[in-house]
Amino acid sequence: LVEEELQLRQGQANDSLARLRAALGNLAIIYRQNLQSANSVWSETRAQKAIADARKKAFRHTHSYHRAQKAMEYLGAPKDILDSYKDISSTDLSTNKDVTEENQFGQGTDSLPWFWRMEGVGGDSANAWMDEFYRINWLKVRARYHQWSEELTLVRHEMYWIRKWFEGQEEEWNRRASQSQEAGYKVYAERKVILYHSYAEDAVMRFQGKMSQPAS
C-alpha cells in the first residue's frame, strides 16, 4: 500500500508541475501579448484580470505540488526521488523575462527554474502556449550558448596575445639594451628585459592548456 501511495503522490507532483508550467507559460504570454499591447483602460483591466487568474492557478498548483512532496517525504521515498522534487520558491514563480522583455539587458545569466528542466517536460508541448514559450526560451539559450562560445574563444586568444606581447616587449628592450651606449640606459633596459621575461613565463604557466593561437 505504501508503494502504491508513493506512486500516486509522485503522479500528483508531476501533474501539479505540468499545470504549474502551463500557468506560468500562459502568464508570460499574457504579459507580452495582452498587457504590453493594451491600448485602453478596458483592455488593460482585462489583461490584469487574466494575469491575476493565472497567478492564482500557479499558486494553487504550487500548493498541490508541495502537498505531494511532503507526502512523499512522509512515506519514506528514496533519496533519488526526493532529490528530483525540490522546493519551489517565490522567485521560481516569477514571470520569465525572455518572453515578456525580449530586449532586456543582462540575459546572459538568466536560467529557468529547475521544474522546467525535469525529465519528461516535453509532454507539455501539446499546449500551443507552451510551444511558444519553449520556442522562445530555446532560441534564447541557443543564442547564449553561441555568445559564450565566442567569449571563450576570444579569452583564449587574448591569453595568447598577452603572452606574445610580453615576449615582444622582452625582445624590444633586449634590442635597446644591445644598442645602448650609456651604462645607465643599458642597465635600465636589461631590467626591463628581465621584467617582461618573467611576465611572459608567468603567462605561460597561468594559461597553460588554455591558450589558443588564432588562425593566421
Side-chain angles (χ1 to χ4, degrees):
L1 290 177
V2 173
E3 185 66 28
E4 292 179 359
E5 177 69 14
L6 181 58
Q7 291 179 0
L8 288 173
R9 292 299 184 178
Q10 191 172 358
Q12 178 187 350
N14 290 334
D15 290 343
S16 298
L17 289 175
R19 295 189 181 102
L20 174 60
R21 289 190 292 266
L24 293 177
N26 187 38
L27 181 60
I29 297 299
I30 292 173
Y31 261 110
R32 181 179 181 180
Q33 294 187 353
N34 294 30
L35 183 61
Q36 293 182 352
S37 62
N39 54 9
S40 67
V41 175
W42 178 83
S43 58
E44 183 175 349
T45 302
R46 185 176 180 181
Q48 291 287 5
K49 184 180 183 305
I51 288 171
D53 291 341
R55 286 193 183 280
K56 288 179 182 178
K57 288 182 180 179
F59 286 127
R60 186 167 64 249
H61 299 320
T62 302
H63 184 61
S64 175
Y65 164 76
H66 280 144
R67 285 205 311 269
Q69 181 196 36
K70 295 302 180 184
M72 286 190 288
E73 292 178 0
Y74 179 77
L75 292 168
K79 185 177 183 300
D80 59 328
I81 292 180
L82 294 178
D83 288 343
S84 299
Y85 295 94
K86 305 177 179 65
D87 288 333
I88 298 176
S89 65
S90 57
T91 56
D92 293 334
L93 301 179
S94 60
T95 308
N96 187 266
K97 296 296 191 299
D98 285 347
V99 179
T100 60
E101 301 174 27
E102 62 273 17
N103 295 321
Q104 68 161 337
F105 177 77
Q107 298 183 43
T109 56
D110 284 353
S111 62
L112 290 173
W114 63 269
F115 51 81
W116 291 98
R117 303 187 298 273
M118 285 188 69
E119 185 177 355
V121 163
D124 297 337
S125 61
N127 188 324
W129 292 104
M130 297 305 294
D131 276 345
E132 175 71 3
F133 186 81
Y134 281 120
R135 184 186 69 82
I136 291 173
N137 276 281
W138 183 86
L139 291 172
K140 292 285 187 178
V141 170
R142 182 174 181 271
R144 289 172 195 153
Y145 170 78
H146 288 300
Q147 177 187 350
W148 285 108
S149 296
E150 182 180 348
E151 289 283 347
L152 178 60
T153 300
L154 288 174
V155 168
R156 286 178 170 173
H157 288 173
E158 285 173 357
M159 291 177 180
Y160 174 80
W161 294 328
I162 288 172
R163 192 202 78 187
K164 295 300 291 183
W165 189 82
F166 287 148
E167 291 175 349
Q169 289 296 306
E170 179 187 354
E171 292 177 2
E172 173 62 20
W173 283 103
N174 198 25
R175 181 187 64 79
R176 294 182 184 182
S178 63
Q179 295 177 354
S180 179
Q181 301 297 322
E182 297 186 23
Y185 290 160
K186 186 177 182 65
V187 171
Y188 178 80
E190 288 175 346
R191 287 179 178 175
K192 285 289 189 179
V193 170
I194 295 173
L195 177 66
Y196 283 111
H197 179 76
S198 67
Y199 286 166
E201 284 190 333
D202 187 59
V204 170
M205 180 185 67
R206 290 176 181 271
F207 301 152
Q208 187 174 12
K210 302 174 184 176
M211 289 184 290
S212 176
Q213 182 175 354
S216 56

